[in-house]
Amino acid sequence: MAKEHLSNEAFFTQLTSLIEKTQQKGHGAVYLTQKRLTFDASSTTTTAQKIADDPLWDLNPPNPLPLIIRATDGKSHKLGPEGTKGGKGGRTKNADKVKLKTVVQPDDLDAFFAKYAEVCKAGMQSLKKRDRSKRKKASKKKGGAGTGGDGKV
Amino acid sequence: MVYLATPEDWQRQSSLLLQARPTTARITTKYKIPNLESSKYQKALKRKRDTETGEKDNAAPKVPKGSLVLKTYDPESGVVLKFKTDKAADVGRLIGGLGRLGRHMAALPESTEGECTLPSATWSQLTEFNKDAVMEDAGAPEPTTADSSRTAKAGPSSDSKPQQAPAGSGSGGGGKKKKKGKK
């Protein structure tokens, strides 16, 4: 947690390059996490304080809370000098682990996720492309029925 | 550790979990490209070669297939909901789903505009809920919804016929259609 929070813009540019790097390398993983941010940096305590004996204390907060989005390459450990796994000193903490994080304010949520989807769609190239020939017909039928029914109700 | 069968299921269950535990639950999205040189995959290949004659293997496994796993985890109750896909087509709407789940996390009301602009057809489960709600409110519109869905079904097929006809008319349209049907 050495680094500061990135701005949403900077997060996206770095996330794009992280996914791209993984893609070019040909193997690897990217982990993306999202969570409610309950820790306020300006005050020392958590903003949402747990109320004793009430299990539903966090269900209706007075104000919308920001989210924290994290991205890592999942490389917490380095392999040993000869690439040996396990054993004594075989794995060491990886100081170069890629860690990105950004805070999204409630107001920016929709815009953020729209951009997020774009970045992911553009970056994740190893997933199966849509099979244009067969699947299109089936999905067309389904899609037509769904939207038609919805629109007129 | 449960893998849910459909993205709709995952979305619904996750949304329920988030409504119950908005502070502790988190969503992790893992995009993984496997390393085909790792020992795990080498073993798998060897086994295949033992059983089959290994000529198929040479062509197939050179491109690693990526996968996307979505996981909703709540450490307080220990609930894990997972969904795995390998289709690029799912990415957009899954992330859209993350956005909607994000609204639960942020304690915002369920999205007002976002839901309408999304391709509602893909979220068949959601539309079903909507229909049910309407029917409960007033029994009358039931026949009209059925009619509208019928006309909607008829719509694309009537559209597609004229499209196919000119393409096939060049060289015996009837024969071509039959071939397409068989495939």
Side-chain angles (χ1 to χ4, degrees), chain A residues 23 26-36 38 58-59 61 64-65 67 106 109-110 113 116-117 124-128 130 143-144 150 152-153, chain B residues 19-20 22-23 26-35 64 66 86-89 91 95 98-99 103-108 121 127 145 148 152:
Chain A
Q23 198 70 53
H27 62 90
V30 178
Y31 292 78
L32 306 160
T33 311
Q34 69 183 68
K35 193 175 185 303
R36 173 183 281 187
T38 48
D58 58 352
L59 289 195
L65 290 152
L67 300 187
L109 209 75
D110 287 337
F113 275 98
Y116 197 37
M124 299 176 177
Q125 293 296 327
S126 281
L127 299 173
K128 259 192 231 161
R130 189 193 286 276
D150 235 20
K152 285 179 188 177
V153 171
Chain B
Q19 280 167 44
T23 306
R26 74 179 77 133
I27 302 175
T28 306
T29 309
K30 178 173 80 170
Y31 170 58
K32 189 186 172 186
I33 309 171
N35 185 359
D86 58 357
K87 295 190 193 75
V91 176
I95 304 277
L98 287 183
R103 294 186 76 87
H104 290 307
M105 282 187 185
L108 287 166
T127 57
T145 56
S148 66

Short mmCIF file of all heavy atoms in Angstrom, two decimals, chain A residues 23 26-36 38 58-59 61 64-65 67 106 109-110 113 116-117 124-128 130 143-144 150 152-153, chain B residues 19-20 22-23 26-35 64 66 86-89 91 95 98-99 103-108 121 127 145 148 152:
data_model
loop_
_atom_site.label_atom_id
_atom_site.label_comp_id
_atom_site.label_asym_id
_atom_site.label_seq_id
_atom_site.Cartn_x
_atom_site.Cartn_y
_atom_site.Cartn_z
N GLN A 23 -1.35 -9.38 -21.87
CA GLN A 23 -1.76 -9.94 -23.15
C GLN A 23 -0.54 -10.23 -24.03
O GLN A 23 -0.45 -11.28 -24.66
CB GLN A 23 -2.67 -8.92 -23.84
CG GLN A 23 -3.52 -9.48 -24.94
CD GLN A 23 -4.59 -10.38 -24.38
OE1 GLN A 23 -5.35 -10.01 -23.52
NE2 GLN A 23 -4.65 -11.59 -24.89
N GLY A 26 1.52 -13.22 -23.04
CA GLY A 26 0.93 -14.50 -23.45
C GLY A 26 0.37 -15.30 -22.30
O GLY A 26 -0.36 -16.25 -22.50
N HIS A 27 0.72 -14.95 -21.07
CA HIS A 27 0.10 -15.61 -19.92
C HIS A 27 0.18 -14.68 -18.72
O HIS A 27 0.95 -13.73 -18.71
CB HIS A 27 0.79 -16.94 -19.60
CG HIS A 27 2.24 -16.78 -19.23
ND1 HIS A 27 2.65 -16.61 -17.94
CD2 HIS A 27 3.35 -16.74 -19.99
CE1 HIS A 27 3.96 -16.49 -17.91
NE2 HIS A 27 4.42 -16.57 -19.15
N GLY A 28 -0.63 -15.00 -17.72
CA GLY A 28 -0.66 -14.13 -16.55
C GLY A 28 -2.09 -13.82 -16.17
O GLY A 28 -3.03 -14.36 -16.77
N ALA A 29 -2.26 -13.00 -15.17
CA ALA A 29 -3.61 -12.70 -14.70
C ALA A 29 -3.72 -11.25 -14.27
O ALA A 29 -2.72 -10.61 -13.94
CB ALA A 29 -3.97 -13.61 -13.53
N VAL A 30 -4.91 -10.74 -14.33
CA VAL A 30 -5.20 -9.40 -13.82
C VAL A 30 -6.36 -9.54 -12.84
O VAL A 30 -7.37 -10.15 -13.16
CB VAL A 30 -5.59 -8.44 -14.96
CG1 VAL A 30 -5.93 -7.07 -14.40
CG2 VAL A 30 -4.47 -8.33 -15.97
N TYR A 31 -6.18 -9.01 -11.66
CA TYR A 31 -7.23 -9.08 -10.65
C TYR A 31 -7.82 -7.68 -10.46
O TYR A 31 -7.09 -6.72 -10.24
CB TYR A 31 -6.67 -9.56 -9.31
CG TYR A 31 -6.23 -10.99 -9.33
CD1 TYR A 31 -5.01 -11.34 -9.90
CD2 TYR A 31 -7.01 -12.00 -8.78
CE1 TYR A 31 -4.60 -12.66 -9.92
CE2 TYR A 31 -6.60 -13.32 -8.78
CZ TYR A 31 -5.39 -13.64 -9.35
OH TYR A 31 -4.99 -14.94 -9.38
N LEU A 32 -9.12 -7.60 -10.53
CA LEU A 32 -9.81 -6.32 -10.32
C LEU A 32 -10.76 -6.48 -9.15
O LEU A 32 -11.53 -7.44 -9.12
CB LEU A 32 -10.59 -5.93 -11.57
CG LEU A 32 -9.79 -5.91 -12.87
CD1 LEU A 32 -10.72 -6.01 -14.06
CD2 LEU A 32 -8.97 -4.67 -12.95
N THR A 33 -10.69 -5.59 -8.22
CA THR A 33 -11.56 -5.72 -7.04
C THR A 33 -12.32 -4.43 -6.81
O THR A 33 -11.77 -3.34 -6.99
CB THR A 33 -10.72 -6.03 -5.79
OG1 THR A 33 -9.85 -7.08 -6.07
CG2 THR A 33 -11.61 -6.40 -4.63
N GLN A 34 -13.56 -4.56 -6.43
CA GLN A 34 -14.32 -3.37 -6.05
C GLN A 34 -14.99 -3.57 -4.70
O GLN A 34 -15.43 -4.67 -4.37
CB GLN A 34 -15.36 -3.01 -7.11
CG GLN A 34 -16.50 -3.99 -7.23
CD GLN A 34 -17.43 -3.58 -8.35
OE1 GLN A 34 -17.09 -3.62 -9.51
NE2 GLN A 34 -18.63 -3.17 -7.98
N LYS A 35 -15.03 -2.51 -3.94
CA LYS A 35 -15.50 -2.63 -2.55
C LYS A 35 -15.94 -1.26 -2.07
O LYS A 35 -15.45 -0.25 -2.55
CB LYS A 35 -14.32 -3.12 -1.71
CG LYS A 35 -14.67 -3.60 -0.34
CD LYS A 35 -13.44 -4.16 0.34
CE LYS A 35 -13.78 -4.77 1.67
NZ LYS A 35 -14.43 -3.81 2.56
N ARG A 36 -16.86 -1.27 -1.14
CA ARG A 36 -17.26 0.00 -0.53
C ARG A 36 -16.09 0.56 0.28
O ARG A 36 -15.41 -0.17 0.97
CB ARG A 36 -18.45 -0.23 0.39
CG ARG A 36 -18.83 0.99 1.19
CD ARG A 36 -19.97 0.69 2.12
NE ARG A 36 -21.25 0.70 1.43
CZ ARG A 36 -22.42 0.59 2.06
NH1 ARG A 36 -22.45 0.44 3.36
NH2 ARG A 36 -23.54 0.61 1.39
N THR A 38 -14.95 2.47 3.30
CA THR A 38 -15.48 2.93 4.58
C THR A 38 -14.41 3.62 5.40
O THR A 38 -14.67 4.06 6.50
CB THR A 38 -16.06 1.77 5.39
OG1 THR A 38 -15.11 0.72 5.38
CG2 THR A 38 -17.36 1.30 4.80
N ASP A 58 -25.15 -1.34 8.75
CA ASP A 58 -24.59 -0.70 7.56
C ASP A 58 -25.57 -0.66 6.39
O ASP A 58 -25.22 -0.32 5.29
CB ASP A 58 -23.30 -1.42 7.13
CG ASP A 58 -23.55 -2.88 6.85
OD1 ASP A 58 -24.66 -3.35 7.14
OD2 ASP A 58 -22.64 -3.55 6.36
N LEU A 59 -26.81 -1.05 6.65
CA LEU A 59 -27.72 -1.18 5.50
C LEU A 59 -28.21 0.16 4.97
O LEU A 59 -28.44 0.32 3.78
CB LEU A 59 -28.93 -2.04 5.88
CG LEU A 59 -28.61 -3.52 6.05
CD1 LEU A 59 -29.87 -4.34 6.04
CD2 LEU A 59 -27.66 -4.01 4.97
N PRO A 61 -26.91 3.71 5.22
CA PRO A 61 -26.06 4.84 5.59
C PRO A 61 -26.71 6.14 5.15
O PRO A 61 -27.44 6.16 4.15
CB PRO A 61 -24.77 4.59 4.82
CG PRO A 61 -25.16 3.73 3.68
CD PRO A 61 -26.34 2.92 4.13
N PRO A 64 -24.50 8.42 0.39
CA PRO A 64 -23.85 7.45 -0.49
C PRO A 64 -22.34 7.42 -0.22
O PRO A 64 -21.75 8.47 0.07
CB PRO A 64 -24.12 7.99 -1.89
CG PRO A 64 -25.31 8.85 -1.75
CD PRO A 64 -25.26 9.42 -0.37
N LEU A 65 -21.77 6.23 -0.30
CA LEU A 65 -20.35 6.09 0.00
C LEU A 65 -19.56 5.87 -1.30
O LEU A 65 -20.09 5.32 -2.25
CB LEU A 65 -20.14 4.90 0.92
CG LEU A 65 -20.67 5.08 2.34
CD1 LEU A 65 -21.05 3.75 2.94
CD2 LEU A 65 -19.64 5.79 3.18
N LEU A 67 -16.62 4.14 -3.74
CA LEU A 67 -16.09 2.79 -3.90
C LEU A 67 -14.59 2.87 -4.08
O LEU A 67 -14.06 3.86 -4.56
CB LEU A 67 -16.66 2.13 -5.15
CG LEU A 67 -18.16 1.93 -5.29
CD1 LEU A 67 -18.44 1.12 -6.53
CD2 LEU A 67 -18.72 1.26 -4.07
N PRO A 106 -19.60 8.46 -5.62
CA PRO A 106 -20.91 7.97 -6.05
C PRO A 106 -21.44 8.67 -7.31
O PRO A 106 -22.09 8.04 -8.15
CB PRO A 106 -21.82 8.28 -4.85
CG PRO A 106 -20.91 8.45 -3.70
CD PRO A 106 -19.55 8.78 -4.19
N LEU A 109 -20.06 7.22 -10.63
CA LEU A 109 -20.13 5.77 -10.74
C LEU A 109 -20.47 5.30 -12.15
O LEU A 109 -19.78 4.46 -12.73
CB LEU A 109 -21.15 5.25 -9.75
CG LEU A 109 -20.89 3.85 -9.23
CD1 LEU A 109 -19.75 3.88 -8.24
CD2 LEU A 109 -22.13 3.31 -8.55
N ASP A 110 -21.53 5.86 -12.72
CA ASP A 110 -22.00 5.38 -14.02
C ASP A 110 -20.96 5.65 -15.10
O ASP A 110 -20.68 4.78 -15.92
CB ASP A 110 -23.33 6.05 -14.39
CG ASP A 110 -24.47 5.50 -13.56
OD1 ASP A 110 -24.32 4.37 -13.05
OD2 ASP A 110 -25.48 6.19 -13.40
N PHE A 113 -17.97 3.22 -14.71
CA PHE A 113 -18.16 1.85 -15.15
C PHE A 113 -18.33 1.74 -16.66
O PHE A 113 -18.00 0.72 -17.25
CB PHE A 113 -19.33 1.20 -14.40
CG PHE A 113 -18.91 0.62 -13.09
CD1 PHE A 113 -19.09 1.32 -11.92
CD2 PHE A 113 -18.27 -0.60 -13.04
CE1 PHE A 113 -18.67 0.79 -10.70
CE2 PHE A 113 -17.85 -1.14 -11.84
CZ PHE A 113 -18.05 -0.44 -10.66
N TYR A 116 -14.82 1.73 -17.72
CA TYR A 116 -14.26 0.47 -17.21
C TYR A 116 -14.59 -0.68 -18.18
O TYR A 116 -13.72 -1.47 -18.57
CB TYR A 116 -14.90 0.22 -15.86
CG TYR A 116 -14.26 -0.78 -14.93
CD1 TYR A 116 -12.88 -0.92 -14.85
CD2 TYR A 116 -15.05 -1.57 -14.11
CE1 TYR A 116 -12.31 -1.80 -13.96
CE2 TYR A 116 -14.49 -2.46 -13.21
CZ TYR A 116 -13.12 -2.58 -13.14
OH TYR A 116 -12.58 -3.47 -12.26
N ALA A 117 -15.85 -0.73 -18.60
CA ALA A 117 -16.28 -1.78 -19.52
C ALA A 117 -15.52 -1.67 -20.83
O ALA A 117 -15.10 -2.67 -21.41
CB ALA A 117 -17.78 -1.67 -19.76
N MET A 124 -9.18 -7.46 -23.04
CA MET A 124 -9.23 -8.90 -22.83
C MET A 124 -9.39 -9.63 -24.15
O MET A 124 -10.48 -10.04 -24.53
CB MET A 124 -10.37 -9.23 -21.87
CG MET A 124 -10.15 -8.58 -20.52
SD MET A 124 -11.50 -8.84 -19.39
CE MET A 124 -10.86 -8.01 -17.93
N GLN A 125 -8.29 -9.80 -24.82
CA GLN A 125 -8.34 -10.35 -26.18
C GLN A 125 -8.22 -11.86 -26.24
O GLN A 125 -8.37 -12.45 -27.29
CB GLN A 125 -7.24 -9.71 -27.04
CG GLN A 125 -7.45 -8.23 -27.29
CD GLN A 125 -8.70 -7.97 -28.10
OE1 GLN A 125 -9.07 -8.76 -28.94
NE2 GLN A 125 -9.36 -6.85 -27.84
N SER A 126 -7.93 -12.49 -25.11
CA SER A 126 -7.75 -13.94 -25.14
C SER A 126 -9.05 -14.70 -24.93
O SER A 126 -9.06 -15.93 -24.96
CB SER A 126 -6.75 -14.37 -24.08
OG SER A 126 -5.45 -14.13 -24.54
N LEU A 127 -10.11 -13.97 -24.69
CA LEU A 127 -11.40 -14.65 -24.55
C LEU A 127 -11.92 -15.02 -25.93
O LEU A 127 -11.50 -14.45 -26.94
CB LEU A 127 -12.40 -13.72 -23.85
CG LEU A 127 -12.00 -13.30 -22.43
CD1 LEU A 127 -12.97 -12.26 -21.92
CD2 LEU A 127 -11.97 -14.47 -21.50
N LYS A 128 -12.86 -15.95 -25.92
CA LYS A 128 -13.40 -16.42 -27.20
C LYS A 128 -14.19 -15.32 -27.88
O LYS A 128 -15.07 -14.71 -27.26
CB LYS A 128 -14.33 -17.59 -26.95
CG LYS A 128 -13.72 -18.94 -27.24
CD LYS A 128 -14.81 -19.98 -27.25
CE LYS A 128 -14.45 -21.15 -26.35
NZ LYS A 128 -15.61 -21.94 -25.97
N ARG A 130 -17.00 -13.90 -30.39
CA ARG A 130 -18.35 -14.39 -30.70
C ARG A 130 -18.33 -15.17 -32.01
O ARG A 130 -17.73 -14.75 -32.99
CB ARG A 130 -19.29 -13.21 -30.83
CG ARG A 130 -20.74 -13.62 -30.94
CD ARG A 130 -21.57 -12.47 -31.38
NE ARG A 130 -21.76 -11.49 -30.32
CZ ARG A 130 -22.69 -11.60 -29.38
NH1 ARG A 130 -23.51 -12.60 -29.38
NH2 ARG A 130 -22.82 -10.68 -28.46
N GLY A 143 -33.53 -12.24 -28.55
CA GLY A 143 -33.48 -10.80 -28.36
C GLY A 143 -34.75 -10.13 -28.84
O GLY A 143 -35.32 -9.28 -28.18
N GLY A 144 -35.23 -10.55 -30.01
CA GLY A 144 -36.43 -9.94 -30.57
C GLY A 144 -37.62 -10.10 -29.65
O GLY A 144 -38.34 -9.15 -29.39
N ASP A 150 -41.04 -6.21 -23.88
CA ASP A 150 -40.76 -5.16 -22.91
C ASP A 150 -41.28 -3.79 -23.38
O ASP A 150 -41.92 -3.07 -22.64
CB ASP A 150 -39.25 -5.06 -22.71
CG ASP A 150 -38.90 -5.22 -21.24
OD1 ASP A 150 -39.76 -5.75 -20.50
OD2 ASP A 150 -37.82 -4.81 -20.85
N LYS A 152 -43.55 -2.83 -25.41
CA LYS A 152 -44.97 -2.53 -25.52
C LYS A 152 -45.69 -2.57 -24.20
O LYS A 152 -46.77 -2.01 -24.07
CB LYS A 152 -45.62 -3.50 -26.52
CG LYS A 152 -45.24 -3.08 -27.94
CD LYS A 152 -45.82 -3.99 -28.97
CE LYS A 152 -45.24 -3.63 -30.34
NZ LYS A 152 -45.70 -4.53 -31.37
N VAL A 153 -45.12 -3.28 -23.21
CA VAL A 153 -45.69 -3.23 -21.87
C VAL A 153 -45.29 -1.90 -21.26
O VAL A 153 -46.04 -1.05 -21.03
CB VAL A 153 -45.11 -4.33 -20.96
CG1 VAL A 153 -45.56 -4.11 -19.54
CG2 VAL A 153 -45.53 -5.69 -21.45
N GLN B 19 -26.88 -6.43 -0.89
CA GLN B 19 -27.89 -5.69 -0.15
C GLN B 19 -27.84 -6.06 1.32
O GLN B 19 -28.10 -5.24 2.19
CB GLN B 19 -29.27 -5.99 -0.71
CG GLN B 19 -29.55 -5.18 -1.97
CD GLN B 19 -30.76 -5.70 -2.70
OE1 GLN B 19 -31.78 -6.00 -2.10
NE2 GLN B 19 -30.66 -5.80 -4.01
N ALA B 20 -27.47 -7.31 1.58
CA ALA B 20 -27.39 -7.75 2.97
C ALA B 20 -26.10 -7.29 3.63
O ALA B 20 -26.08 -6.96 4.81
CB ALA B 20 -27.51 -9.27 3.03
N PRO B 22 -23.49 -4.75 2.53
CA PRO B 22 -22.91 -3.77 1.60
C PRO B 22 -21.51 -3.32 1.99
O PRO B 22 -20.75 -2.88 1.13
CB PRO B 22 -23.89 -2.60 1.66
CG PRO B 22 -24.59 -2.76 2.96
CD PRO B 22 -24.62 -4.22 3.27
N THR B 23 -21.15 -3.43 3.24
CA THR B 23 -19.85 -2.92 3.66
C THR B 23 -18.74 -3.95 3.52
O THR B 23 -17.61 -3.62 3.15
CB THR B 23 -19.90 -2.45 5.12
OG1 THR B 23 -20.97 -1.53 5.25
CG2 THR B 23 -18.61 -1.77 5.52
N ARG B 26 -17.15 -7.95 -1.24
CA ARG B 26 -16.35 -7.37 -2.31
C ARG B 26 -16.49 -8.22 -3.56
O ARG B 26 -16.83 -9.40 -3.48
CB ARG B 26 -14.88 -7.32 -1.89
CG ARG B 26 -14.21 -8.68 -1.90
CD ARG B 26 -12.78 -8.59 -1.52
NE ARG B 26 -12.64 -8.42 -0.09
CZ ARG B 26 -11.78 -9.13 0.67
NH1 ARG B 26 -10.99 -9.99 0.10
NH2 ARG B 26 -11.72 -8.94 1.95
N ILE B 27 -16.22 -7.59 -4.68
CA ILE B 27 -16.29 -8.31 -5.95
C ILE B 27 -14.92 -8.31 -6.60
O ILE B 27 -14.32 -7.25 -6.77
CB ILE B 27 -17.30 -7.66 -6.91
CG1 ILE B 27 -18.68 -7.61 -6.26
CG2 ILE B 27 -17.37 -8.44 -8.21
CD1 ILE B 27 -19.69 -6.87 -7.08
N THR B 28 -14.42 -9.48 -6.92
CA THR B 28 -13.14 -9.59 -7.59
C THR B 28 -13.35 -10.15 -8.98
O THR B 28 -14.07 -11.12 -9.16
CB THR B 28 -12.19 -10.52 -6.81
OG1 THR B 28 -12.10 -10.06 -5.48
CG2 THR B 28 -10.81 -10.51 -7.43
N THR B 29 -12.75 -9.49 -9.95
CA THR B 29 -12.82 -9.96 -11.32
C THR B 29 -11.44 -10.41 -11.73
O THR B 29 -10.50 -9.62 -11.67
CB THR B 29 -13.26 -8.82 -12.25
OG1 THR B 29 -14.43 -8.22 -11.70
CG2 THR B 29 -13.55 -9.32 -13.63
N LYS B 30 -11.31 -11.65 -12.09
CA LYS B 30 -9.99 -12.15 -12.48
C LYS B 30 -9.98 -12.47 -13.97
O LYS B 30 -10.84 -13.20 -14.45
CB LYS B 30 -9.66 -13.41 -11.68
CG LYS B 30 -8.30 -13.99 -12.08
CD LYS B 30 -7.89 -15.13 -11.18
CE LYS B 30 -8.58 -16.41 -11.58
NZ LYS B 30 -8.03 -17.59 -10.88
N TYR B 31 -9.03 -11.87 -14.63
CA TYR B 31 -8.83 -12.18 -16.05
C TYR B 31 -7.54 -12.94 -16.16
O TYR B 31 -6.49 -12.43 -15.79
CB TYR B 31 -8.77 -10.90 -16.87
CG TYR B 31 -8.35 -11.09 -18.30
CD1 TYR B 31 -9.06 -11.94 -19.14
CD2 TYR B 31 -7.24 -10.44 -18.80
CE1 TYR B 31 -8.68 -12.12 -20.44
CE2 TYR B 31 -6.85 -10.61 -20.12
CZ TYR B 31 -7.57 -11.45 -20.93
OH TYR B 31 -7.19 -11.62 -22.23
N LYS B 32 -7.61 -14.18 -16.62
CA LYS B 32 -6.41 -15.01 -16.60
C LYS B 32 -6.11 -15.60 -17.97
O LYS B 32 -7.00 -16.10 -18.65
CB LYS B 32 -6.60 -16.14 -15.60
CG LYS B 32 -5.32 -16.90 -15.37
CD LYS B 32 -5.54 -18.11 -14.50
CE LYS B 32 -4.26 -18.91 -14.47
NZ LYS B 32 -4.42 -20.17 -13.76
N ILE B 33 -4.85 -15.51 -18.33
CA ILE B 33 -4.38 -16.21 -19.52
C ILE B 33 -3.43 -17.29 -19.03
O ILE B 33 -2.40 -16.97 -18.43
CB ILE B 33 -3.64 -15.26 -20.48
CG1 ILE B 33 -4.48 -14.01 -20.76
CG2 ILE B 33 -3.30 -15.97 -21.77
CD1 ILE B 33 -3.72 -12.95 -21.50
N PRO B 34 -3.76 -18.55 -19.23
CA PRO B 34 -2.92 -19.60 -18.67
C PRO B 34 -1.57 -19.68 -19.36
O PRO B 34 -1.44 -19.36 -20.53
CB PRO B 34 -3.74 -20.87 -18.92
CG PRO B 34 -4.62 -20.53 -20.06
CD PRO B 34 -4.91 -19.07 -19.95
N ASN B 35 -0.58 -20.09 -18.60
CA ASN B 35 0.76 -20.29 -19.16
C ASN B 35 0.87 -21.72 -19.66
O ASN B 35 0.93 -22.67 -18.89
CB ASN B 35 1.79 -20.03 -18.07
CG ASN B 35 3.20 -20.11 -18.62
OD1 ASN B 35 3.39 -20.37 -19.80
ND2 ASN B 35 4.17 -19.87 -17.76
N PRO B 64 -3.29 -19.81 -25.99
CA PRO B 64 -3.90 -19.97 -24.67
C PRO B 64 -5.28 -19.34 -24.63
O PRO B 64 -5.48 -18.25 -25.17
CB PRO B 64 -2.93 -19.25 -23.74
CG PRO B 64 -2.19 -18.30 -24.61
CD PRO B 64 -2.13 -18.91 -25.97
N GLY B 66 -8.02 -17.56 -22.68
CA GLY B 66 -8.21 -16.77 -21.47
C GLY B 66 -9.53 -17.08 -20.81
O GLY B 66 -10.42 -17.66 -21.42
N ASP B 86 -15.68 -17.67 -20.73
CA ASP B 86 -14.54 -17.50 -21.63
C ASP B 86 -14.97 -16.76 -22.89
O ASP B 86 -14.28 -16.78 -23.89
CB ASP B 86 -13.90 -18.84 -21.98
CG ASP B 86 -14.88 -19.79 -22.63
OD1 ASP B 86 -16.06 -19.41 -22.76
OD2 ASP B 86 -14.48 -20.90 -23.02
N LYS B 87 -16.13 -16.13 -22.82
CA LYS B 87 -16.65 -15.47 -24.02
C LYS B 87 -16.42 -13.96 -23.95
O LYS B 87 -16.77 -13.32 -22.96
CB LYS B 87 -18.15 -15.72 -24.15
CG LYS B 87 -18.47 -17.15 -24.38
CD LYS B 87 -19.94 -17.29 -24.76
CE LYS B 87 -20.37 -18.73 -24.69
NZ LYS B 87 -20.55 -19.18 -23.30
N ALA B 88 -15.86 -13.43 -25.02
CA ALA B 88 -15.60 -11.99 -25.06
C ALA B 88 -16.92 -11.22 -25.05
O ALA B 88 -16.98 -10.10 -24.55
CB ALA B 88 -14.80 -11.65 -26.30
N ALA B 89 -17.97 -11.85 -25.56
CA ALA B 89 -19.25 -11.15 -25.66
C ALA B 89 -19.84 -10.85 -24.29
O ALA B 89 -20.65 -9.94 -24.14
CB ALA B 89 -20.23 -12.01 -26.46
N VAL B 91 -18.19 -9.82 -21.64
CA VAL B 91 -17.45 -8.84 -20.84
C VAL B 91 -18.24 -7.56 -20.62
O VAL B 91 -18.38 -7.09 -19.49
CB VAL B 91 -16.09 -8.51 -21.49
CG1 VAL B 91 -15.38 -7.43 -20.72
CG2 VAL B 91 -15.23 -9.76 -21.55
N ILE B 95 -19.49 -6.27 -16.89
CA ILE B 95 -18.97 -5.05 -16.27
C ILE B 95 -20.12 -4.09 -16.00
O ILE B 95 -20.16 -3.40 -14.99
CB ILE B 95 -17.91 -4.38 -17.15
CG1 ILE B 95 -16.77 -5.36 -17.47
CG2 ILE B 95 -17.36 -3.13 -16.48
CD1 ILE B 95 -15.71 -5.50 -16.45
N LEU B 98 -21.41 -5.13 -12.92
CA LEU B 98 -20.58 -4.67 -11.81
C LEU B 98 -20.97 -3.25 -11.43
O LEU B 98 -20.97 -2.89 -10.25
CB LEU B 98 -19.10 -4.69 -12.20
CG LEU B 98 -18.42 -6.04 -12.32
CD1 LEU B 98 -16.95 -5.84 -12.66
CD2 LEU B 98 -18.56 -6.83 -11.05
N GLY B 99 -21.28 -2.46 -12.44
CA GLY B 99 -21.68 -1.08 -12.19
C GLY B 99 -22.95 -1.02 -11.38
O GLY B 99 -23.07 -0.23 -10.44
N ARG B 103 -23.64 0.19 -7.34
CA ARG B 103 -24.61 1.12 -6.77
C ARG B 103 -25.10 0.64 -5.40
O ARG B 103 -25.36 1.43 -4.52
CB ARG B 103 -25.80 1.30 -7.71
CG ARG B 103 -25.43 1.97 -9.01
CD ARG B 103 -26.65 2.27 -9.85
NE ARG B 103 -27.39 3.40 -9.36
CZ ARG B 103 -27.13 4.66 -9.70
NH1 ARG B 103 -26.16 4.91 -10.54
NH2 ARG B 103 -27.84 5.64 -9.22
N HIS B 104 -25.23 -0.68 -5.27
CA HIS B 104 -25.59 -1.21 -3.94
C HIS B 104 -24.48 -0.88 -2.94
O HIS B 104 -24.74 -0.52 -1.80
CB HIS B 104 -25.77 -2.72 -4.00
CG HIS B 104 -26.99 -3.14 -4.75
ND1 HIS B 104 -28.24 -2.66 -4.46
CD2 HIS B 104 -27.15 -3.99 -5.78
CE1 HIS B 104 -29.11 -3.20 -5.29
NE2 HIS B 104 -28.47 -4.01 -6.11
N MET B 105 -23.25 -1.07 -3.40
CA MET B 105 -22.11 -0.82 -2.52
C MET B 105 -22.08 0.64 -2.08
O MET B 105 -21.78 0.95 -0.94
CB MET B 105 -20.81 -1.11 -3.24
CG MET B 105 -20.49 -2.56 -3.36
SD MET B 105 -18.86 -2.71 -4.06
CE MET B 105 -18.77 -4.47 -4.24
N ALA B 106 -22.36 1.51 -3.04
CA ALA B 106 -22.27 2.93 -2.74
C ALA B 106 -23.50 3.44 -2.00
O ALA B 106 -23.58 4.61 -1.67
CB ALA B 106 -22.09 3.71 -4.04
N ALA B 107 -24.45 2.55 -1.78
CA ALA B 107 -25.70 2.91 -1.12
C ALA B 107 -26.50 3.93 -1.94
O ALA B 107 -27.14 4.82 -1.40
CB ALA B 107 -25.46 3.43 0.28
N LEU B 108 -26.40 3.79 -3.25
CA LEU B 108 -27.23 4.61 -4.13
C LEU B 108 -28.50 3.83 -4.45
O LEU B 108 -28.50 2.60 -4.40
CB LEU B 108 -26.49 4.90 -5.43
CG LEU B 108 -25.35 5.91 -5.39
CD1 LEU B 108 -24.53 5.81 -6.65
CD2 LEU B 108 -25.89 7.31 -5.21
N ALA B 121 -32.75 -7.32 -23.47
CA ALA B 121 -33.02 -8.66 -23.97
C ALA B 121 -32.08 -9.68 -23.34
O ALA B 121 -32.46 -10.79 -23.03
CB ALA B 121 -32.86 -8.69 -25.47
N THR B 127 -36.21 -9.05 -17.17
CA THR B 127 -37.44 -8.70 -17.88
C THR B 127 -38.58 -9.60 -17.42
O THR B 127 -39.71 -9.17 -17.36
CB THR B 127 -37.27 -8.83 -19.39
OG1 THR B 127 -36.85 -10.16 -19.69
CG2 THR B 127 -36.26 -7.84 -19.92
N THR B 145 -49.54 -8.53 -23.74
CA THR B 145 -48.11 -8.85 -23.73
C THR B 145 -47.84 -10.07 -24.59
O THR B 145 -46.85 -10.13 -25.30
CB THR B 145 -47.61 -9.12 -22.30
OG1 THR B 145 -48.40 -10.16 -21.74
CG2 THR B 145 -47.70 -7.88 -21.44
N SER B 148 -47.92 -8.99 -28.17
CA SER B 148 -46.77 -8.20 -28.57
C SER B 148 -45.55 -9.09 -28.76
O SER B 148 -44.76 -8.92 -29.68
CB SER B 148 -46.48 -7.10 -27.56
OG SER B 148 -46.07 -7.68 -26.33
N ALA B 152 -43.52 -9.72 -32.12
CA ALA B 152 -42.08 -9.49 -32.11
C ALA B 152 -41.34 -10.69 -32.68
O ALA B 152 -40.35 -10.57 -33.39
CB ALA B 152 -41.61 -9.22 -30.69
#
